[in-house]
Amino acid sequence: MGERIHGLGSRSSLLMITTVALLLHLAHAVTGLGGQHADTVLGEPLYSGLVIAGAAACGLRAVNVKTDRAAWFALAGGLAALGVGSALSGLSDNPPFPSAGDAVALLLYPAACASMFLFLRDRVARPLVGQLLDAAIAALAATAVGAMLLYHASPGLANPSSAASATQAAFAAGDLIVIAAMVGACALTGWRFDRAWVLAGAGLVAGALGDLAHTHHAALGFHSAHAALTIGWPAAALLVCFGAFEPPEPGRGKNPSYWRVLVVPMLFALVAAATVVYGQFAQIGSLAFALALASLLAATVRPAIGFRENVRVLSRSQHEALTDSLTGLGNRRSLMTDLRELIKAADRNSSRVLILFDLDGFKQYNDTFGHPAGDALLARLGANLQKAVGPYGGVYRMGGDEFCVLLMVGMASSRTLTSIAAAALSERGEGFNVRASYGAVMIPDEAREPALALKIADQRMYAQKEKRRPSTSRQTRDILLQVLRERDPELGEHMSAVGELSRRVGQRMRLLPEELDETVRAAELHDIGKMAIPDAILHKRGPLDEREWAFVHKHTIIGERILSAAPALIPVAKVVRSSHERWDGHGYPDGLAGDAIPLGARIVSVCDAYHAMTSARPYGETLDRDEGLTELRKAAGSEFDARVVAAICDVISESQLMPRKSMGPVAGAPKLA
């Protein structure tokens, strides 16, 4: 809400004026400031005006701020009803009791309760039974105390015998209901909420308490105190004004303080117990006694409800800990638990088959259609798997695109179950083909330890995956490499060597199988675009001029276009395009920097540079292995990813994959850094 209110000046000025008006009204009520003639201004008119000012502040808040708009409108309506009702009652020197003004003023109470409900609506999603009991304990105890005080002031309020006493009882009941509603609302929020609601709620409670105290003192004949207490609702309106001008605080009150949730209801229960005990020694009225007793009964039931809720929360937590959130299947922890229990109790007459599945083609599907579509596919395949083999045993999602089943053998053969499960994890459509590689192990025949069972299944799964690599992409790669070798044997040798080195580095960096395969193929084909560069430039001895460099810098884009003609090589094409980007952003063709460069491209760039430096070349000195590694370390963090440089240094040092001198000249092209 802005600093200025339409047509009323700054909010600080408005609050100052309202505060001064309240003090004038108080001084007039207590000391008779201004004499009897001032009563026409400082008495009932100012009382009504202050309450209507509070209603106007609530209305302005609702108009200008979307947050809790309905609640502020309801509160504005309630205060307006009170102000108008008071004004109507003040039009006559001897108004009837009850009067039309009383009927209008009574609308404050349902409106105030409605506003508190609307405040709660966005702060408490769906209260638990325990929260409702906490609210009941607090509300009943507070109302019992109020009813007891009213009974001492005027026992006749409990059993009104005339319209006048009924109206007075209605106002008293409304005050008690507002107090009970506010206390109950506080309990439902865990006794935490934003400042605007604190001030508005405190205003309502202050007005109700002032009204009750006014009734109490009037019945006892304390007239000076009675006069002072007539400012109850104007003071409440001022508090509401302060609350209306507080900025909204979204998200506050959603993390309750647990000690408050525990301690505060206990304090209210003690208040209720004290009221009941006091009722054994003095008259407190049947209403107060019944309310206090109801609060104690709610407090008695609360521990049992709390225990039940804790058991339910614990059960839900255990379920969530053993369930994959995306598919609803068991997770890895659930599988390991079931495996341990099964192996412990199993014998050869109760054999089961553990089958581990990994989806082939899922990464390409994810890259093509996006992660939301990938998640939807995983959920759909998980449901298919559960439906297909769920009756035979447990179904699990291990994470990523890996699934697992633990099935009873006997109802169907293990081979049949494996085929059914693999079919359930397969889906194809335009532009994609997802299927499952798998590995199976018999339990307890082949493994009596969960970790060993998973290891055997994993090894068998990847052995099958290697045999089932997409033949189309492999054949396309082989054709392109052969064409390159026919055109330039030295360039073909360089690309093969870079491919092998990239494989070792990728394994060192623990790339996933599909990522490693894409990186190796990109390394083998990273210079395929040089097929479009004239030999006069490619084999030129000496420095290239600016026009020739511009031509050379296009080779990664040309390579991407060549590879993208084969759908299976589209992910490889993206890596090839970025294979000459630099970590510091000064590479080409897109000027990518840091982690924005695909990891595969960063690996290819380092391996390409190392092989070029340690191979015979007509445009520069050939370096030995250690010299090449030194040059890479110098460029780590500027030209190259330091993590990749560290990995290749480890690979070269451990395996001595590359010779200390050149394996032969690379194609005569300059190093394209």
Side-chain angles (χ1 to χ4, degrees), residues 354-429:
L354 173 70
I355 313 171
L356 184 63
F357 297 91
D358 186 83
L359 301 182
D360 300 326
F362 177 74
K363 185 177 185 300
Q364 181 180 343
Y365 181 94
N366 229 9
D367 293 342
T368 303
F369 300 103
H371 290 290
D375 288 346
L377 177 63
L378 289 175
R380 190 162 60 250
L381 293 179
N384 293 344
L385 184 63
Q386 176 66 42
K387 184 178 180 180
V389 298
Y392 301 97
V395 182
Y396 313 85
R397 180 183 173 222
M398 304 291 286
D401 58 356
E402 287 190 343
F403 291 84
C404 190
V405 295
L406 184 59
L407 307 178
M408 293 180 289
V409 179
M411 297 175 64
S413 69
S414 60
R415 180 172 299 180
T416 301
L417 292 174
T418 302
S419 300
I420 293 173
L425 289 174
S426 301
E427 188 167 316
R428 63 186 305 170

Coordinates of all heavy atoms in Angstrom, one line a residue, residues 354-429:
L354 N 15.7 -61.1 -9.6 CA 16.0 -59.6 -9.5 C 16.4 -59.1 -10.9 O 17.4 -59.6 -11.4 CB 17.1 -59.3 -8.5 CG 17.5 -57.8 -8.4 CD1 16.4 -57.0 -7.8 CD2 18.8 -57.7 -7.6
I355 N 15.6 -58.2 -11.4 CA 15.9 -57.7 -12.8 C 16.0 -56.2 -12.7 O 15.2 -55.5 -12.2 CB 14.7 -58.1 -13.8 CG1 14.3 -59.5 -13.6 CG2 15.1 -57.8 -15.2 CD1 13.0 -59.8 -14.4
L356 N 17.2 -55.8 -13.2 CA 17.5 -54.3 -13.2 C 17.4 -53.8 -14.7 O 17.9 -54.4 -15.6 CB 19.0 -54.1 -12.7 CG 19.4 -52.7 -12.6 CD1 18.6 -51.9 -11.5 CD2 20.9 -52.7 -12.1
F357 N 16.7 -52.7 -14.8 CA 16.4 -52.2 -16.2 C 17.0 -50.8 -16.3 O 17.0 -50.0 -15.3 CB 14.9 -52.1 -16.4 CG 14.2 -53.4 -16.4 CD1 13.6 -53.9 -15.3 CD2 14.1 -54.1 -17.6 CE1 12.9 -55.1 -15.3 CE2 13.4 -55.3 -17.6 CZ 12.8 -55.8 -16.5
D358 N 17.5 -50.5 -17.4 CA 18.0 -49.1 -17.8 C 17.4 -48.7 -19.1 O 17.5 -49.5 -20.1 CB 19.5 -49.0 -17.8 CG 20.0 -47.6 -18.0 OD1 20.1 -46.9 -17.0 OD2 20.3 -47.2 -19.1
L359 N 16.8 -47.5 -19.2 CA 16.2 -47.1 -20.4 C 17.1 -46.6 -21.5 O 17.9 -45.7 -21.2 CB 15.1 -46.0 -20.1 CG 14.0 -46.4 -19.1 CD1 13.1 -45.2 -18.9 CD2 13.3 -47.6 -19.5
D360 N 17.1 -47.2 -22.6 CA 17.9 -46.8 -23.8 C 17.1 -45.7 -24.6 O 15.9 -46.0 -24.9 CB 18.3 -47.9 -24.7 CG 19.1 -49.0 -23.9 OD1 19.9 -48.6 -23.1 OD2 18.9 -50.2 -24.3
G361 N 17.7 -44.6 -24.9 CA 17.1 -43.6 -25.6 C 16.3 -42.6 -24.8 O 15.8 -41.6 -25.3
F362 N 16.4 -42.7 -23.5 CA 15.6 -41.8 -22.6 C 16.3 -40.4 -22.6 O 15.6 -39.4 -22.6 CB 15.5 -42.3 -21.2 CG 14.8 -41.4 -20.3 CD1 13.4 -41.1 -20.3 CD2 15.6 -40.6 -19.3 CE1 12.8 -40.2 -19.5 CE2 14.9 -39.7 -18.5 CZ 13.6 -39.5 -18.6
K363 N 17.6 -40.4 -22.6 CA 18.3 -39.1 -22.5 C 18.0 -38.3 -23.8 O 17.8 -37.1 -23.7 CB 19.8 -39.3 -22.4 CG 20.6 -38.0 -22.2 CD 22.1 -38.3 -22.0 CE 22.8 -37.0 -21.7 NZ 22.7 -36.0 -22.8
Q364 N 18.0 -39.0 -24.9 CA 17.7 -38.2 -26.2 C 16.3 -37.7 -26.1 O 16.0 -36.6 -26.5 CB 17.9 -39.2 -27.4 CG 17.6 -38.5 -28.7 CD 17.8 -39.4 -29.9 OE1 18.4 -40.5 -29.7 NE2 17.2 -39.1 -31.0
Y365 N 15.3 -38.5 -25.6 CA 14.0 -38.1 -25.4 C 13.9 -36.9 -24.5 O 13.2 -35.9 -24.8 CB 13.1 -39.2 -24.8 CG 11.7 -38.9 -24.6 CD1 10.7 -39.3 -25.6 CD2 11.2 -38.3 -23.5 CE1 9.4 -39.0 -25.4 CE2 9.9 -38.0 -23.3 CZ 9.0 -38.3 -24.3 OH 7.6 -38.0 -24.1
N366 N 14.6 -36.9 -23.4 CA 14.6 -35.8 -22.5 C 15.2 -34.5 -23.1 O 14.7 -33.4 -23.0 CB 15.5 -36.1 -21.3 CG 14.8 -35.8 -19.9 OD1 13.6 -35.5 -19.9 ND2 15.5 -35.9 -18.9
D367 N 16.3 -34.7 -23.9 CA 16.9 -33.5 -24.5 C 16.0 -32.9 -25.6 O 16.0 -31.7 -25.9 CB 18.3 -33.9 -25.1 CG 19.3 -34.3 -24.1 OD1 19.1 -33.9 -22.9 OD2 20.3 -34.9 -24.4
T368 N 15.3 -33.8 -26.3 CA 14.4 -33.4 -27.4 C 13.1 -32.7 -26.9 O 12.7 -31.7 -27.4 CB 14.1 -34.6 -28.3 OG1 15.3 -35.2 -28.8 CG2 13.3 -34.1 -29.5
F369 N 12.5 -33.3 -25.9 CA 11.1 -32.9 -25.5 C 11.1 -32.1 -24.2 O 10.1 -31.6 -23.8 CB 10.2 -34.1 -25.5 CG 10.0 -34.8 -26.8 CD1 10.7 -36.0 -27.0 CD2 9.3 -34.3 -27.8 CE1 10.6 -36.7 -28.2 CE2 9.1 -35.0 -29.0 CZ 9.8 -36.2 -29.2
G370 N 12.2 -32.1 -23.5 CA 12.3 -31.4 -22.2 C 12.1 -32.3 -21.0 O 11.5 -33.4 -21.1
H371 N 12.5 -31.8 -19.8 CA 12.4 -32.6 -18.6 C 11.0 -32.8 -18.1 O 10.7 -33.9 -17.6 CB 13.2 -31.9 -17.5 CG 14.7 -31.9 -17.7 ND1 15.4 -33.1 -17.6 CD2 15.6 -30.9 -18.1 CE1 16.7 -32.8 -17.9 NE2 16.8 -31.5 -18.1
P372 N 10.0 -31.9 -18.3 CA 8.6 -32.2 -17.9 C 8.1 -33.4 -18.6 O 7.4 -34.3 -18.1 CB 7.9 -30.9 -18.1 CG 8.9 -29.9 -18.0 CD 10.1 -30.4 -18.6
A373 N 8.4 -33.4 -20.0 CA 7.9 -34.6 -20.8 C 8.6 -35.9 -20.3 O 8.0 -36.9 -20.3 CB 8.1 -34.3 -22.3
G374 N 9.9 -35.7 -20.0 CA 10.7 -36.9 -19.5 C 10.1 -37.4 -18.2 O 10.0 -38.7 -18.1
D375 N 9.8 -36.6 -17.3 CA 9.2 -37.0 -16.0 C 7.8 -37.7 -16.3 O 7.5 -38.7 -15.7 CB 9.0 -35.8 -15.1 CG 10.3 -35.3 -14.5 OD1 11.3 -36.0 -14.7 OD2 10.3 -34.2 -14.0
A376 N 7.1 -37.1 -17.2 CA 5.8 -37.8 -17.5 C 6.0 -39.1 -18.1 O 5.2 -40.1 -17.8 CB 5.0 -36.9 -18.5
L377 N 7.0 -39.3 -19.0 CA 7.3 -40.6 -19.6 C 7.7 -41.6 -18.5 O 7.2 -42.8 -18.5 CB 8.4 -40.5 -20.6 CG 8.8 -41.8 -21.3 CD1 7.7 -42.4 -22.0 CD2 10.0 -41.6 -22.2
L378 N 8.5 -41.2 -17.5 CA 8.9 -42.1 -16.5 C 7.7 -42.5 -15.6 O 7.6 -43.7 -15.3 CB 10.0 -41.4 -15.6 CG 11.4 -41.2 -16.2 CD1 12.2 -40.4 -15.2 CD2 12.0 -42.5 -16.5
A379 N 6.9 -41.6 -15.3 CA 5.7 -41.9 -14.5 C 4.8 -42.9 -15.3 O 4.2 -43.9 -14.7 CB 4.9 -40.7 -14.2
R380 N 4.7 -42.7 -16.6 CA 3.8 -43.6 -17.4 C 4.4 -45.0 -17.5 O 3.7 -46.0 -17.4 CB 3.7 -42.9 -18.8 CG 2.6 -43.6 -19.7 CD 2.2 -42.7 -20.8 NE 3.3 -42.4 -21.7 CZ 3.8 -41.1 -21.8 NH1 3.3 -40.1 -21.0 NH2 4.8 -40.9 -22.6
L381 N 5.7 -45.0 -17.7 CA 6.4 -46.4 -17.8 C 6.4 -47.1 -16.5 O 6.2 -48.3 -16.4 CB 7.8 -46.2 -18.3 CG 8.0 -45.7 -19.7 CD1 9.5 -45.5 -20.1 CD2 7.3 -46.6 -20.7
G382 N 6.5 -46.3 -15.4 CA 6.5 -46.9 -14.1 C 5.1 -47.5 -13.8 O 5.0 -48.6 -13.2
A383 N 4.0 -46.8 -14.2 CA 2.7 -47.4 -14.1 C 2.5 -48.6 -14.9 O 1.8 -49.6 -14.5 CB 1.7 -46.3 -14.4
N384 N 3.0 -48.6 -16.1 CA 2.9 -49.8 -17.0 C 3.6 -51.0 -16.4 O 3.1 -52.1 -16.4 CB 3.6 -49.5 -18.4 CG 2.8 -48.4 -19.2 OD1 1.6 -48.1 -18.9 ND2 3.5 -47.9 -20.2
L385 N 4.8 -50.7 -15.8 CA 5.6 -51.8 -15.2 C 4.8 -52.4 -14.0 O 4.7 -53.6 -13.8 CB 6.9 -51.3 -14.8 CG 7.9 -52.3 -14.2 CD1 8.2 -53.4 -15.2 CD2 9.2 -51.7 -13.7
Q386 N 4.2 -51.5 -13.2 CA 3.5 -52.0 -12.0 C 2.3 -52.8 -12.4 O 2.0 -53.8 -11.8 CB 3.0 -50.7 -11.2 CG 2.1 -51.1 -10.0 CD 2.9 -51.8 -8.9 OE1 4.0 -51.5 -8.6 NE2 2.2 -52.8 -8.3
K387 N 1.6 -52.4 -13.4 CA 0.4 -53.1 -13.9 C 0.8 -54.4 -14.5 O 0.1 -55.4 -14.3 CB -0.3 -52.2 -15.0 CG -1.6 -52.9 -15.5 CD -2.3 -51.9 -16.5 CE -3.6 -52.5 -17.0 NZ -4.3 -51.6 -18.0
A388 N 2.0 -54.5 -15.2 CA 2.3 -55.7 -15.9 C 2.9 -56.8 -15.0 O 2.5 -58.0 -15.1 CB 3.4 -55.4 -17.0
V389 N 3.7 -56.4 -14.0 CA 4.3 -57.5 -13.2 C 4.1 -57.3 -11.7 O 4.6 -58.0 -10.9 CB 5.9 -57.5 -13.4 CG1 6.1 -57.9 -14.9 CG2 6.5 -56.2 -13.1
G390 N 3.3 -56.3 -11.3 CA 3.0 -56.0 -9.9 C 2.5 -57.2 -9.2 O 2.8 -57.5 -8.0
P391 N 1.6 -58.0 -9.8 CA 1.0 -59.2 -9.1 C 2.1 -60.3 -8.8 O 1.8 -61.1 -8.0 CB 0.0 -59.8 -10.1 CG -0.4 -58.6 -11.0 CD 0.9 -57.8 -11.1
Y392 N 3.3 -60.2 -9.4 CA 4.3 -61.2 -9.2 C 5.3 -60.8 -8.2 O 6.2 -61.6 -7.8 CB 5.0 -61.5 -10.5 CG 4.1 -62.0 -11.6 CD1 3.6 -61.1 -12.6 CD2 3.7 -63.4 -11.7 CE1 2.7 -61.6 -13.6 CE2 2.9 -63.8 -12.7 CZ 2.4 -62.9 -13.6 OH 1.5 -63.4 -14.6
G393 N 5.3 -59.6 -7.7 CA 6.3 -59.1 -6.7 C 6.4 -57.6 -6.6 O 5.5 -56.9 -7.0
G394 N 7.6 -57.2 -6.2 CA 7.8 -55.7 -6.0 C 8.4 -55.0 -7.2 O 9.1 -55.6 -8.0
V395 N 8.0 -53.8 -7.4 CA 8.4 -52.9 -8.5 C 9.0 -51.7 -7.9 O 8.4 -51.0 -7.0 CB 7.2 -52.6 -9.4 CG1 7.7 -51.7 -10.6 CG2 6.5 -53.9 -9.9
Y396 N 10.2 -51.3 -8.4 CA 10.9 -50.2 -7.8 C 11.5 -49.3 -8.9 O 11.8 -49.7 -10.0 CB 12.1 -50.7 -7.0 CG 11.7 -51.8 -6.0 CD1 11.7 -53.1 -6.5 CD2 11.4 -51.5 -4.7 CE1 11.4 -54.2 -5.6 CE2 11.0 -52.6 -3.9 CZ 11.0 -53.9 -4.3 OH 10.7 -54.9 -3.5
R397 N 11.7 -48.0 -8.5 CA 12.5 -47.1 -9.4 C 13.8 -46.7 -8.6 O 13.7 -46.2 -7.5 CB 11.7 -45.8 -9.7 CG 12.5 -44.8 -10.6 CD 11.8 -43.5 -10.9 NE 12.7 -42.6 -11.6 CZ 12.7 -41.3 -11.3 NH1 12.0 -40.8 -10.3 NH2 13.5 -40.5 -12.0
M398 N 14.9 -47.1 -9.2 CA 16.2 -46.9 -8.5 C 16.6 -45.4 -8.6 O 17.5 -45.0 -7.8 CB 17.2 -47.8 -9.2 CG 16.8 -49.2 -9.2 SD 16.9 -49.9 -7.6 CE 18.6 -50.1 -7.3
G399 N 16.1 -44.6 -9.5 CA 16.5 -43.3 -9.7 C 16.9 -43.1 -11.1 O 17.2 -44.0 -11.9
G400 N 16.8 -41.8 -11.6 CA 17.1 -41.6 -13.0 C 16.1 -42.4 -13.9 O 14.9 -42.4 -13.7
D401 N 16.7 -43.1 -14.9 CA 15.9 -43.9 -15.8 C 16.2 -45.4 -15.5 O 16.1 -46.2 -16.4 CB 16.3 -43.6 -17.2 CG 17.8 -43.8 -17.6 OD1 18.5 -44.1 -16.6 OD2 18.1 -43.6 -18.7
E402 N 16.5 -45.8 -14.2 CA 16.7 -47.2 -13.9 C 15.5 -47.7 -13.0 O 15.0 -47.0 -12.1 CB 17.9 -47.3 -13.0 CG 19.2 -47.2 -13.9 CD 20.4 -47.6 -13.1 OE1 20.3 -47.7 -11.8 OE2 21.5 -47.9 -13.7
F403 N 15.0 -48.8 -13.4 CA 13.9 -49.5 -12.7 C 14.4 -50.9 -12.3 O 15.4 -51.4 -12.8 CB 12.6 -49.6 -13.6 CG 12.0 -48.3 -13.9 CD1 12.4 -47.5 -14.9 CD2 10.9 -47.9 -13.1 CE1 11.8 -46.3 -15.2 CE2 10.3 -46.7 -13.4 CZ 10.7 -45.9 -14.5
C404 N 13.7 -51.5 -11.3 CA 14.0 -52.8 -10.9 C 12.8 -53.5 -10.4 O 11.8 -52.9 -10.0 CB 15.0 -52.6 -9.7 SG 15.8 -54.2 -9.2
V405 N 12.8 -54.9 -10.6 CA 11.7 -55.7 -10.1 C 12.3 -56.9 -9.4 O 13.4 -57.3 -9.6 CB 10.8 -56.2 -11.3 CG1 10.1 -55.0 -11.9 CG2 11.6 -57.0 -12.3
L406 N 11.5 -57.3 -8.4 CA 11.9 -58.5 -7.5 C 10.7 -59.4 -7.6 O 9.7 -59.2 -6.8 CB 12.3 -58.0 -6.1 CG 12.8 -59.1 -5.2 CD1 14.0 -59.8 -5.7 CD2 13.0 -58.5 -3.8
L407 N 10.8 -60.4 -8.4 CA 9.6 -61.2 -8.8 C 9.7 -62.7 -8.3 O 10.8 -63.2 -8.3 CB 9.3 -61.2 -10.3 CG 9.3 -59.8 -10.9 CD1 9.1 -59.9 -12.4 CD2 8.2 -58.9 -10.3
M408 N 8.6 -63.3 -8.0 CA 8.5 -64.7 -7.6 C 8.6 -65.5 -8.9 O 7.9 -65.3 -9.9 CB 7.2 -65.0 -6.9 CG 7.1 -64.3 -5.5 SD 5.5 -64.7 -4.7 CE 4.4 -63.8 -5.7
V409 N 9.4 -66.5 -8.8 CA 9.5 -67.5 -10.0 C 8.7 -68.7 -9.7 O 8.8 -69.2 -8.6 CB 11.0 -67.8 -10.2 CG1 11.1 -68.8 -11.4 CG2 11.8 -66.6 -10.4
G410 N 8.0 -69.2 -10.6 CA 7.1 -70.3 -10.4 C 5.7 -70.0 -11.0 O 5.2 -70.9 -11.7
M411 N 5.2 -68.8 -10.7 CA 3.9 -68.5 -11.3 C 4.1 -68.3 -12.8 O 3.2 -68.5 -13.6 CB 3.4 -67.2 -10.7 CG 3.1 -67.3 -9.2 SD 2.6 -65.7 -8.4 CE 1.1 -65.4 -9.3
A412 N 5.3 -67.8 -13.2 CA 5.7 -67.7 -14.6 C 7.2 -67.9 -14.6 O 7.9 -67.6 -13.6 CB 5.3 -66.4 -15.1
S413 N 7.8 -68.2 -15.8 CA 9.2 -68.4 -15.8 C 9.9 -67.0 -15.8 O 9.3 -66.0 -16.1 CB 9.6 -69.1 -17.2 OG 9.3 -68.2 -18.3
S414 N 11.2 -67.0 -15.4 CA 11.9 -65.8 -15.3 C 12.0 -65.1 -16.6 O 12.0 -63.9 -16.7 CB 13.2 -66.0 -14.6 OG 14.0 -66.9 -15.4
R415 N 12.2 -65.9 -17.7 CA 12.3 -65.3 -19.0 C 11.1 -64.6 -19.4 O 11.1 -63.6 -20.0 CB 12.7 -66.4 -20.0 CG 12.9 -65.9 -21.4 CD 13.5 -67.0 -22.3 NE 14.8 -67.5 -21.8 CZ 15.5 -68.4 -22.4 NH1 15.0 -69.0 -23.5 NH2 16.7 -68.7 -22.0
T416 N 9.9 -65.3 -19.1 CA 8.6 -64.7 -19.5 C 8.4 -63.4 -18.8 O 8.0 -62.4 -19.3 CB 7.5 -65.7 -19.2 OG1 7.7 -66.9 -19.9 CG2 6.1 -65.0 -19.6
L417 N 8.7 -63.4 -17.4 CA 8.5 -62.2 -16.7 C 9.4 -61.1 -17.1 O 9.0 -59.9 -17.2 CB 8.8 -62.5 -15.2 CG 7.8 -63.4 -14.5 CD1 8.3 -63.7 -13.1 CD2 6.4 -62.7 -14.4
T418 N 10.7 -61.4 -17.5 CA 11.6 -60.4 -18.0 C 11.1 -59.8 -19.3 O 11.1 -58.6 -19.5 CB 13.0 -61.0 -18.2 OG1 13.4 -61.6 -17.0 CG2 14.0 -60.0 -18.7
S419 N 10.6 -60.6 -20.2 CA 10.0 -60.1 -21.4 C 8.8 -59.2 -21.2 O 8.7 -58.1 -21.8 CB 9.6 -61.2 -22.4 OG 10.7 -62.1 -22.6
I420 N 8.0 -59.6 -20.3 CA 6.8 -58.8 -20.0 C 7.2 -57.4 -19.4 O 6.7 -56.3 -19.8 CB 5.8 -59.5 -19.0 CG1 5.3 -60.7 -19.7 CG2 4.7 -58.6 -18.5 CD1 4.5 -61.6 -18.7
A421 N 8.2 -57.4 -18.5 CA 8.6 -56.2 -17.9 C 9.3 -55.3 -18.9 O 9.1 -54.1 -18.9 CB 9.5 -56.5 -16.7
A422 N 10.2 -55.9 -19.7 CA 10.9 -55.1 -20.7 C 9.9 -54.4 -21.7 O 10.1 -53.3 -22.1 CB 11.9 -55.9 -21.5
A423 N 8.9 -55.2 -22.1 CA 7.9 -54.6 -23.0 C 7.1 -53.4 -22.3 O 6.8 -52.4 -23.0 CB 6.9 -55.7 -23.4
A424 N 6.9 -53.5 -21.0 CA 6.2 -52.5 -20.3 C 7.0 -51.2 -20.2 O 6.4 -50.1 -20.1 CB 5.8 -52.9 -18.9
L425 N 8.3 -51.3 -20.3 CA 9.2 -50.2 -20.2 C 9.6 -49.7 -21.6 O 10.6 -49.0 -21.7 CB 10.4 -50.5 -19.4 CG 10.2 -50.7 -17.9 CD1 11.5 -51.2 -17.2 CD2 9.7 -49.4 -17.3
S426 N 8.9 -50.0 -22.6 CA 9.2 -49.6 -24.0 C 8.1 -48.7 -24.5 O 6.9 -48.9 -24.3 CB 9.4 -50.8 -24.9 OG 10.4 -51.7 -24.4
E427 N 8.5 -47.7 -25.2 CA 7.6 -46.8 -25.9 C 8.3 -46.1 -27.0 O 9.4 -45.7 -27.0 CB 7.1 -45.7 -24.9 CG 5.9 -44.9 -25.4 CD 5.2 -44.1 -24.3 OE1 5.0 -44.6 -23.3 OE2 5.0 -42.9 -24.6
R428 N 7.6 -46.0 -28.1 CA 8.1 -45.3 -29.3 C 7.1 -44.4 -29.9 O 5.9 -44.6 -29.7 CB 8.6 -46.4 -30.3 CG 7.5 -47.3 -30.9 CD 8.1 -48.4 -31.8 NE 8.9 -47.8 -32.8 CZ 9.7 -48.5 -33.6 NH1 9.8 -49.9 -33.4 NH2 10.4 -48.0 -34.5
G429 N 7.6 -43.4 -30.6 CA 6.7 -42.5 -31.3 C 7.5 -41.7 -32.3 O 8.7 -42.1 -32.7

